[in-house]
Amino acid sequence: MRVLGVDPGLTRCGVGVVEGVAGRPLTMLGVGVVRTSADADLGHRLVAVEQGLERWLDEYRPEFVAVERVFSQHNVRTVMGTAQASAVALLCASRRGIPVALHTPSEVKAAVTGSGRADKAQVGAMVTRLLRLDAPPKPADAADALALAICHIWRAPAQNRLQQAAALHASRTAPRTPAARTAASRASGPRTSTAPHPSPSPSPDPLKGRTA
């Protein structure tokens, strides 16, 4: 499984590509940051993020894209920029037909470090250890992008099983429509009785009782 992790942001959008499967050593294929100037027009900044992500998608051709889910903060301006960059990542992946998964920061921290309250230094240290790197990726946005990819690789099998179980349960509990009941009745064929039929009584012999 090859996953592109995206830590959305307008000034620095972290990107990282990880390949592997759950339960086995993972490999980092690439890591970096898509940067835009804070002095540029918003539209131009969004175009720059899109172009940067498109280059990563072209080069690494991931099977999945994992994006950090935007959550509420006190700084509304920061939230808006993060949400806009996140939307660009969703657009780029969906336009290519690549499945996108959203993971909250606490989910990523818990998956990588075992604690949903880990700080950025702890996340960077565990990413370095899990990917067997010489040093933590810089800046922290790049390490967070790798953590997102790792989180998705480890959580995907469990998520798939839950989705399959939910779909199976829904199909079994869904009420049948009249048309479905009629189709099922026709498929089962006409009902036949298994009770034995009474044997017909013998007809009287017309010659019995006559004398020559």
Side-chain angles (χ1 to χ4, degrees):
M1 179 186 298
R2 181 175 295 188
V3 180
L4 170 65
V6 179
D7 182 42
L10 274 182
T11 303
R12 294 186 307 272
C13 181
V15 284
V17 182
V18 178
E19 188 171 57
V21 295
R24 295 184 181 182
L26 305 176
T27 302
M28 184 194 76
L29 301 182
V31 65
V33 175
V34 177
R35 300 178 183 270
T36 68
S37 173
D39 298 329
D41 178 73
L42 174 61
H44 291 93
R45 299 181 73 184
L46 294 176
V47 170
V49 172
E50 179 194 23
Q51 292 174 343
L53 293 177
E54 289 288 351
R55 285 193 293 269
W56 280 79
L57 293 171
D58 285 337
E59 182 174 357
Y60 292 98
R61 300 191 178 278
E63 301 169 74
F64 298 90
V65 173
V67 183
E68 182 179 286
R69 185 185 295 275
V70 180
F71 65 101
S72 177
Q73 293 177 329
H74 297 295
N75 192 335
V76 177
R77 184 176 179 181
T78 301
V79 173
M80 289 298 296
T82 302
Q84 290 162 344
S86 176
V88 172
L90 290 168
L91 171 65
C92 292
S94 299
R95 187 162 51 200
R96 295 171 179 247
I98 302 174
V100 180
L102 300 175
H103 301 287
T104 66
S106 60
E107 288 174 346
V108 176
K109 294 175 182 178
V112 175
T113 70
S115 172
R117 296 184 177 181
D119 57 25
K120 287 187 175 295
Q122 291 173 309
V123 172
M126 285 304 301
V127 166
T128 303
R129 179 180 176 182
L130 292 171
L131 298 178
R132 305 176 303 281
L133 305 177
D134 296 331
K138 299 292 183 180
D141 310 86
D144 290 344
L146 292 174
L148 275 157
I150 294 171
C151 172
H152 184 72
I153 291 175
W154 284 355
R155 290 172 59 92
Q159 289 178 335
N160 291 337
R161 288 194 293 269
L162 288 174
Q163 291 173 355
Q164 292 171 358
L168 180 61
H169 176 74
S171 65
R172 288 178 175 177
T173 58
R176 280 188 171 185
T177 62
R181 288 195 295 268
T182 302
S185 176
R186 289 176 178 174
S188 63
R191 294 184 177 180
T192 57
S193 174
T194 57
H197 295 285
S199 57
S201 56
S203 59
D205 188 350
L207 299 180
K208 188 175 181 180
R210 291 186 181 182
T211 58

